[in-house]
Amino acid sequence: MSGNSPRPTPRLALVTGGSGFVGKHLIHRLLSVGWRVRALGRSPEALAGVRNLGAEPIAGDLLDRTSLTTAMDGVEVVFHVAAHFKLWGPMSEFRRINVDGTRNVIEEAERAGVRRVVYVSAAAVVMGRPEAMHGATESLPLHKMTFAPYATSKAEAEEVLLAANGRCAGFSTVAIRPPFIWGPDMPALDHMVETVRKGQFQWVSGGRQALSTCHVDNLCHALILGADRGSGGEAFFVSDGEDTTLKSFLTRLLGSRGVIPKDRNVPFGLAWALAGLMGAVWRAFRRKGEPPITRQMLRLIGKGFTIDISRARLELGYAPLISPADGMRRMRPDDALAAVAVD
């Protein structure tokens, strides 16, 4: 006898939204810790992208039950990352993808004998009327505000997810709620840089509002912990573990691209009124694209919002892997130009 024992078969995970910002980082991290990964993709470009990352591509989407059935064959854990993330649009579209899509994922996972679905929810699910919230915990109620279709649809999807916990023997669900997600290659930064360079950027309330953030690598770490820890049927806030202010954070983030916005400010009340007016104009004239400012956007960043991650620390064993300082250093290319103020 050689004494060599056979290697265990790697665990198989399915990632929805694998070609997106969070999905790409999650695939990379899962592969690095020994998982096999399968990823759902809607387009040839998305499928090629996840294949290049090392995942097995499966053509399909959240609303195609047949593709979900194929994708979940033999899967142990589903990481449900895919979502319709926009700051403007009809509620029906958000519900179709974020709520109905999540329901499809859960039901097909149950049929396939998947052990757990780990869902990327959002810290915004507890945001109600625009007011500051500090040290938010999971005990707060979910809110569904008509001016916030993204946050509302994520709250509704989370309800669907957690209600399914234990519905089948051996099946459990967990929701991970990050605040502002950031990191290398984040798409939102391109839009912010363009806004600043066009001279359209203003600080709401001077940018003094407190802010919790979550580096994408910290989020991926929490998601993988969520695959095995926690009893199921619960939601967990996760963050970088250090709170900041909107102005301090965005100044450093934009500075990683060599851009610093001017010190232009707008009071929250005025911004809220303008967003309401623009929304009415966009709806009345069926204008394409998003208004320059929306009430969904203002609710996300216009008032102070920080979270308490004690439950994730205790029940998931979560601790941030990357500090905000380390994350910012990774944002800046080695040959980055010195930041300059932009009108």
Side-chain angles (χ1 to χ4, degrees):
M1 295 178 63
S2 66
N4 293 328
S5 57
R7 294 182 179 179
T9 302
R11 305 166 74 184
L12 178 59
L14 170 66
V15 176
T16 70
S19 62
F21 171 50
V22 174
K24 289 188 292 187
H25 286 268
L26 180 58
I27 288 172
H28 175 76
R29 183 158 184 83
L30 284 166
L31 292 170
S32 73
V33 295
W35 289 70
R36 290 170 53 217
V37 181
R38 196 176 282 160
L40 205 62
R42 291 186 299 168
S43 67
E45 294 77 17
L47 294 169
V50 298
R51 182 184 294 109
N52 291 338
L53 290 169
E56 175 192 351
I58 301 290
D61 63 44
L62 304 182
L63 303 178
D64 179 357
R65 291 268 192 158
T66 300
S67 66
L68 290 175
T69 299
T70 300
M72 291 187 191
D73 182 35
V75 165
E76 179 189 344
V77 176
V78 173
F79 294 94
H80 181 28
V81 182
H84 183 57
F85 177 52
K86 299 285 184 182
L87 298 175
W88 177 257
M91 183 73 81
S92 59
E93 184 68 3
F94 285 90
R95 285 190 169 126
R96 188 176 72 89
I97 299 172
N98 294 347
V99 184
D100 295 344
T102 295
R103 184 178 291 108
N104 290 345
V105 167
I106 293 165
E107 292 178 357
E108 292 303 322
E110 288 175 312
R111 289 192 182 97
V114 168
R115 181 176 62 80
R116 176 167 283 188
V117 174
V118 183
Y119 173 57
V120 179
S121 184
V125 297
V126 300
M127 289 181 173
R129 296 183 181 279
E131 58 187 13
M133 302 174 70
H134 299 295
T137 68
E138 293 85 353
S139 64
L140 291 172
L142 302 181
H143 283 284
K144 299 162 189 175
M145 313 302 288
T146 56
F147 62 79
Y150 169 71
T152 293
S153 65
K154 294 294 280 187
E156 292 176 352
E158 186 180 295
E159 286 181 328
V160 170
L161 176 97
L162 298 183
N165 184 70
R167 195 163 59 192
C168 295
F171 179 73
S172 60
T173 59
V174 165
I176 303 295
R177 296 176 176 172
F180 190 112
I181 306 170
W182 65 288
D185 67 343
M186 59 183 290
L189 185 53
D190 294 333
H191 177 70
M192 284 190 282
V193 167
E194 181 182 1
T195 301
V196 172
R197 286 180 170 158
K198 288 181 177 178
Q200 298 173 345
F201 186 92
Q202 294 189 69
W203 296 108
V204 177
S205 301
R208 295 181 297 274
Q209 51 270 49
L211 181 72
S212 290
T213 60
C214 189
H215 190 277
V216 65
D217 288 350
N218 288 334
L219 173 56
C220 292
H221 174 51
L223 291 170
I224 295 174
L225 290 173
D228 295 310
R229 303 188 185 186
S231 57
E234 292 183 301
F236 298 92
F237 283 124
V238 296
S239 75
D240 295 327
E242 299 176 25
D243 296 329
T244 181
T245 65
L246 181 72
K247 189 170 188 176
S248 174
F249 179 74
L250 290 189
T251 297
R252 287 180 292 158
L253 199 60
L254 289 163
S256 72
R257 294 285 188 88
V259 173
I260 296 178
K262 288 287 191 179
D263 231 358
R264 297 180 179 134
N265 299 285
V266 58
F268 180 86
L270 176 58
W272 188 259
L274 288 172
L277 178 60
M278 289 180 183
V281 170
W282 254 249
R283 284 188 293 270
F285 294 96
R286 299 182 179 181
R287 298 190 63 171
K288 295 182 179 180
E290 297 182 2
I293 186 170
T294 68
R295 286 187 167 178
Q296 172 74 92
M297 177 200 306
L298 289 172
R299 187 60 194 95
L300 291 173
I301 65 170
K303 293 288 184 178
F305 181 74
T306 62
I307 58 177
D308 183 337
I309 62 172
S310 298
R311 176 185 279 187
R313 290 185 185 275
L314 178 65
E315 298 185 32
L316 299 183
Y318 172 76
L321 296 179
I322 295 180
S323 70
D326 286 342
M328 285 296 175
R329 279 192 287 270
R330 298 181 187 192
M331 292 292 296
R332 185 185 294 276
D334 292 338
D335 59 349
L337 298 174
V340 294
V342 175
D343 286 323

